[in-house]
Amino acid sequence: LTNGLLIKAATILDPETPLRVGDLRIAHGRIVEIGRRLRREDEEEIDASRMLAMPGLVNAHTHSGQSLDRGTANNMPLDLWMVWSVYGGPELTPEDAYTTAACGALEMLASGCTSVLDQVYLPLEEFDAHAEAVLTAYADVGMRAVVAPMVQDRDFLESLELEHDAGARPLAPLSQTYEPRRVLDHLERFVASAAGRTATLTAALGPTAPQRCSDELLGLILELARRTGVGVHTHLLETKTQRLAAERRYGRPIVEHLAALGYLSGDVSYAHGVWLTPDEFVQVGCAGATIVHNPVSNLRLGSGVMPLQYLIRRGIAVALGSDGAASNDSQNLFEVLKVASILHTLYGARRSWLQPEDVWRACLLGGAGALRAPVGRIAPDAAADIVLLRLDRHALGSRQRLVASLINAEHGESVDTVVVGGRVVLREGASTGVDEVAVRQAGRAFMDRTAACLPRRARIYAAYEQAIGRSIDRVEIDTLEPVKWWPTPGGC
Ligand SMILES: [Zn+2]
């Protein structure tokens, strides 16, 4: 099986080359030739004369386990949202892990996204079965995935700055605590089991956030990453409360602490980074690390505005992510692109406002860097991850402004055919890899179970709301503060 494909007469939109019409020859998962009137060899031919060919969008941060948890959470700050969504949510079986990953992947493909960095929660008690289910789901649906098991060894409550009333009953821990070595054993097996499975699946390591991990675990994870060559992905300074709590814990800013642990490097990508100072952004950027911007989730949880405009203008590597559906509430990358494109007119001089082309490049080229994969381009030797969109749909306005139309007007309704690693995974909008009706039925059943646990969620939330809410209210939070810290520093 060579996965040979010849895509004929497509209008080709690449972030680095001018718009043109041409044929794309695909073999062994890569684009091998681009030209006019290429002769068909022993390969499948697709007539794309009415299609726009764009590189598949890259989602550099999500959590597949949440992909069916949508519409259940109010607008609330992250620390409280965690109690509601993460610790109050439904228990997942390995079958649920398959269903949520498959449904999320189908939604992303149908809205033009072909690769994802999935920082997925896998319970340590049933780690291998859950890991297997998630990897199988991505392989079946045919989406490119970097799967980073999300781990921690400290309790979530310990990472907050809670003040306890004298005489009040202590709060019960929300998360299990583990021996760092035990966590590492699981990760080590995971990296081995994911290796060589298919060309479109890669392992990475996903410590959930530095403040929820011991330094010992962070050190072990970094050592495993170096030894096996896999990447590391973690949340960083999503909220102001995290910044203050981390400074108390480490006695210095968290970025300084991460630098001392060896975490500032091109092998690491950081989700959010809303509350870094300008100097810290430059320090992280100069080390080659990528910041993954999740604008919809940040707005949903009132986390603040990550100064994307300033990062892009200074050449700091940035990618885009949806974040989990529990804080989004969809997995549609076009929606993320649009919000990223229009949010950053809130600050800065009009000449430095971001334009659709800026976020388009961040999504594709920055996303490729975050996933450490040859995606995001339609160019010789790039991965054959290609989305064909129907040019006759209204969303795609004039050919002179295709990127602007894609970002501001498209939601995925023009997506027709999707190719990942040279394999046609969506044909006329329908999955070629799985029985979508069956997967959606399983998804619906899981959502019903999720709805049934709403009263339990409310009970858990009520038990923690006061103490955690007080720790948030104590802090004066101006969500535009991160953009007011600028402008200052120079480049690398
Ligand atoms: Zn996240």
Side-chain angles (χ1 to χ4, degrees):
L1 186 79
T2 64
N3 285 334
L5 265 184
L6 184 63
I7 298 175
K8 292 286 284 179
T11 301
I12 301 167
L13 185 68
D14 173 72
E16 304 271 49
T17 48
L19 191 71
R20 60 185 157 159
V21 174
D23 306 338
L24 304 169
R25 193 188 307 282
I26 290 159
H28 309 293
R30 300 268 181 150
I31 298 168
V32 293
E33 194 180 2
I34 302 178
R36 299 299 294 261
R37 295 183 200 86
L38 298 185
R39 254 208 11 237
R40 182 178 175 188
E41 292 168 7
D42 179 24
E43 59 209 347
E44 183 193 336
E45 185 175 308
I46 294 176
D47 173 14
S49 54
R50 291 156 190 262
M51 304 279 183
L52 174 72
M54 71 164 194
L57 303 176
V58 182
N59 186 359
H61 180 70
T62 194
H63 312 285
S64 61
Q66 298 175 9
S67 71
L68 295 170
D69 186 3
R70 40 190 70 203
T72 64
N74 287 333
N75 292 337
M76 57 172 97
L78 175 88
D79 295 341
L80 284 171
W81 172 89
M82 289 281 293
V83 178
W84 176 269
S85 291
V86 177
Y87 296 109
E91 299 281 319
L92 262 65
T93 65
E95 293 73 36
D96 298 332
Y98 179 94
T99 300
T100 50
C103 286
L106 286 170
E107 180 182 358
M108 286 186 270
L109 289 178
S111 48
C113 172
T114 52
S115 52
V116 63
L117 198 161
D118 181 7
Q119 191 185 27
V120 60
Y121 169 69
L122 308 170
L124 287 200
E125 291 69 28
E126 272 190 299
F127 191 89
D128 294 354
H130 280 252
E132 186 60 33
V134 171
L135 293 172
T136 306
Y138 284 116
D140 287 355
V141 174
M143 183 172 196
R144 185 180 302 276
V146 176
V147 180
M150 182 162 64
V151 295
Q152 68 190 77
D153 60 348
R154 301 179 78 222
D155 177 30
F156 168 64
L157 290 181
E158 278 181 55
S159 73
L160 306 176
E161 282 289 306
L162 300 184
E163 265 172 28
H164 298 284
D165 284 345
R169 257 195 311 157
L171 293 169
L174 278 165
S175 21
Q176 290 260 45
T177 52
Y178 296 98
E179 271 295 299
R181 277 269 160 212
R182 188 176 158 219
V183 178
L184 197 82
D185 287 345
H186 287 294
L187 293 177
E188 200 146 7
R189 274 206 318 283
F190 174 76
V191 171
S193 84
R197 193 178 277 249
T198 79
T200 52
L201 283 178
T202 319
L205 306 174
T208 166
Q211 70 274 13
R212 295 174 211 142
C213 298
S214 65
D215 283 352
E216 184 187 355
L217 179 60
L218 291 174
L220 288 169
I221 286 174
L222 197 62
E223 192 272 325
L224 176 61
R226 298 264 150 85
R227 183 153 41 89
T228 55
V230 303
V232 180
H233 181 75
T234 186
H235 295 90
L236 177 63
L237 293 184
E238 185 168 353
T239 64
K240 187 171 183 182
T241 54
Q242 288 175 0
R243 180 166 188 103
L244 299 177
E247 272 173 22
R248 271 234 219 142
R249 176 178 169 200
Y250 300 121
R252 55 182 172 183
I254 197 167
V255 172
E256 204 179 312
H257 189 69
L258 287 171
L261 291 173
Y263 261 74
L264 300 193
S265 88
D267 305 331
V268 186
S269 56
Y270 291 104
H272 305 296
V274 178
W275 288 88
L276 271 69
T277 66
D279 289 330
E280 289 169 346
F281 275 121
V282 170
Q283 193 185 352
V284 170
C286 291
T290 302
I291 302 275
V292 183
H293 181 40
N294 300 272
V296 176
S297 170
N298 291 162
L299 289 171
R300 187 78 165 75
L301 303 179
S303 299
V305 176
M306 203 282 279
L308 184 72
Q309 189 195 112
Y310 299 140
L311 269 63
I312 287 182
R313 296 293 171 240
R314 279 168 179 77
I316 295 168
V318 284
L320 294 175
S322 61
D323 210 348
S327 66
N328 181 295
D329 300 62
S330 86
Q331 296 289 279
N332 187 319
L333 253 287
F334 280 119
E335 195 177 272
V336 172
L337 280 160
K338 177 167 185 170
V339 174
S341 164
I342 60 180
L343 171 64
H344 300 280
T345 56
L346 278 175
Y347 58 96
R350 69 182 164 84
R351 287 184 202 285
S352 66
W353 283 0
L354 296 179
Q355 298 300 335
E357 288 75 10
D358 295 311
V359 296
W360 168 248
R361 292 172 63 84
C363 177
L364 297 175
L365 307 177
L371 270 64
R372 310 193 324 152
V375 298
R377 296 284 320 273
I378 295 187
D381 217 32
D385 291 12
I386 297 164
V387 177
L388 299 178
L389 300 109
R390 293 180 50 171
L391 278 167
D392 59 354
R393 294 292 167 95
H394 291 171
L396 297 181
S398 83
R399 289 191 185 223
Q400 283 71 39
R401 299 277 294 152
L402 274 172
V403 173
S405 305
L406 276 172
I407 282 163
N408 289 331
E410 179 62 59
H411 287 96
E413 58 271 45
S414 312
V415 172
D416 182 276
T417 299
V418 178
V419 176
V420 177
R423 171 182 164 199
V424 178
V425 296
L426 234 60
R427 214 184 273 279
E428 289 180 26
S431 173
T432 63
V434 294
D435 176 350
E436 279 182 86
V437 174
V439 171
R440 282 186 214 292
Q441 254 166 18
R444 190 65 246 175
F446 177 74
M447 289 181 97
D448 291 344
R449 271 171 45 220
T450 303
C453 81
L454 285 177
R456 188 179 73 93
R457 269 185 154 167
R459 272 199 309 279
I460 295 173
Y461 183 81
Y464 292 87
E465 198 270 341
Q466 256 212 343
I468 295 179
R470 224 174 18 222
S471 76
I472 299 166
D473 297 339
R474 254 199 340 251
V475 179
E476 232 174 90
I477 301 171
D478 169 0
T479 48
L480 277 170
E481 191 179 328
V483 305
K484 291 175 184 164
W485 283 343
W486 299 70
T488 29
C492 291

